[in-house]
Amino acid sequence: MAEKQAGTAKVEPLRKTRPCAECGKPSVREHYPFCSDRCRTLDLSRWLKGSYAIPVADDESQAESEDGNI
Ligand SMILES: [Zn+2]
């Protein structure tokens, strides 16, 4: 068994690693396109929050009340 192939930690991919979408660090294949599971969770939670923050039904009523308040 060659020691070169024993460890997979030092294997660098030929392709350029994209920066983590969350923190900008080089992403790892395991958590692609993020650098870690933490960043992936952060991005996911942010994405979920984003969708919750844009209620379509509320947007309509809000625009109406703001425009024609009084
Ligand atoms: Zn990251």
Side-chain angles (χ1 to χ4, degrees), residues 47-59:
W47 187 85
L48 287 172
K49 277 184 183 178
S51 11
Y52 283 131
I54 309 171
V56 183
D58 194 51
D59 185 62

Side-chain angles (χ1 to χ4, degrees), residues 29-68:
R29 205 192 320 173
E30 194 179 348
H31 301 294
Y32 186 87
F34 304 101
C35 73
S36 63
D37 187 55
R38 181 171 149 272
C39 280
R40 184 168 59 179
T41 307
L42 275 171
D43 189 83
L44 180 65
S45 61
R46 179 189 290 173
W47 187 85
L48 287 172
K49 277 184 183 178
S51 11
Y52 283 131
I54 309 171
V56 183
D58 194 51
D59 185 62
E60 206 175 320
S61 64
Q62 195 177 21
E64 201 178 329
S65 64
E66 280 229 32
D67 197 38

